[in-house]
Amino acid sequence: MLNPVLRREIQTSLRNWKVYAAILFYVACLVAVAVVGFWSEIYNSYDFSFSPGTINEFYAVMAIMQLVLIIIIVPAITGGSINGERERQTFDLMLVSRMKPFSIVAGKLLAGIAVVILMIIASAPVFAITIQFGGASVKDVLLLMLYFMFSAVCLGSVSILFSALIKKSAVSMVLVYVLAGVLTF
């Protein structure tokens, strides 16, 4: 049985075209980095080719860019989940339902992370470029994708924690971004 909160959130969010536009923008940013990187490497070489050793640099740059995008997107999606229920005055209704608090929080977390996981999976073909040119193996890319998913779940959990503890959405999201920045640097 699917979590009722997760089911409702997925049904309402995946009907909106903005989710698909965000995924398209996300993958387009990664593709732009890859294209600019390959083009600059080929253009600056003597014989209009690239060194296979630089593909590791592209892999690292794309991985760092994807992690930065995850750090920016996850708090924006999950940061106001509990606060939003309070502001819409539906939080009390969820609490008096037969659902356990863990089920409510898990549903909110999984609903927010589902979009980010879709973005991570959609970016896998961009990372397949590095497999093609020998910069990384399939195992490396799969482990990187799992790491991104784990990072998204951890950051989403912290976002929901701050959303539950602090009553104002803006304050909780700012604190999550500050904490993410401190942990990143």
Side-chain angles (χ1 to χ4, degrees):
M1 185 173 110
L2 192 61
N3 186 326
V5 174
L6 175 63
R7 185 176 348 124
R8 186 186 67 83
E9 293 282 334
I10 287 178
Q11 285 177 346
T12 57
S13 68
L14 292 183
R15 288 182 185 167
N16 194 351
W17 63 272
K18 293 177 186 176
V19 172
Y20 301 107
I23 293 172
L24 177 69
F25 178 73
Y26 181 79
V27 174
C29 286
L30 289 175
V31 168
V33 167
V35 167
V36 167
F38 277 118
W39 182 79
S40 65
E41 179 66 27
I42 290 171
Y43 184 75
N44 291 331
S45 70
Y46 178 70
D47 57 353
F48 292 106
S49 65
F50 72 95
S51 170
T54 59
I55 200 72
N56 290 333
E57 294 172 11
F58 293 136
Y59 178 74
V61 167
M62 286 191 307
I64 289 169
M65 182 175 174
Q66 184 162 1
L67 187 61
V68 166
L69 288 173
I70 288 170
I71 290 171
I72 292 171
I73 291 171
V74 169
I77 293 174
T78 59
S81 59
I82 304 291
N83 289 336
E85 295 293 334
R86 282 188 187 136
E87 290 169 0
R88 289 187 301 268
Q89 297 177 351
T90 56
F91 186 66
D92 293 333
L93 294 173
M94 284 188 357
L95 288 179
V96 297
S97 69
R98 294 175 40 189
M99 291 181 6
K100 295 180 180 172
F102 178 78
S103 178
I104 294 171
V105 171
K108 289 289 188 180
L109 175 65
L110 292 175
I113 299 300
V115 175
V116 176
I117 289 176
L118 279 174
M119 289 179 176
I120 292 170
I121 291 171
S123 69
V126 179
F127 281 94
I129 295 170
T130 59
I131 296 171
Q132 177 68 27
F133 292 115
S137 66
V138 175
K139 178 185 167 190
D140 293 336
V141 172
L142 289 176
L143 286 174
L144 184 68
M145 296 295 157
L146 284 174
Y147 174 74
F148 288 150
M149 289 178 195
F150 177 74
S151 298
V153 168
C154 290
L155 191 57
S157 300
V158 170
S159 297
I160 288 186
L161 172 71
F162 281 125
S163 177
L165 292 177
I166 299 169
K167 296 196 188 302
K168 299 284 184 180
S169 297
V171 175
S172 67
M173 288 176 64
V174 166
L175 286 176
V176 171
Y177 281 123
V178 167
L179 180 66
V182 167
L183 291 176
T184 301
F185 293 111

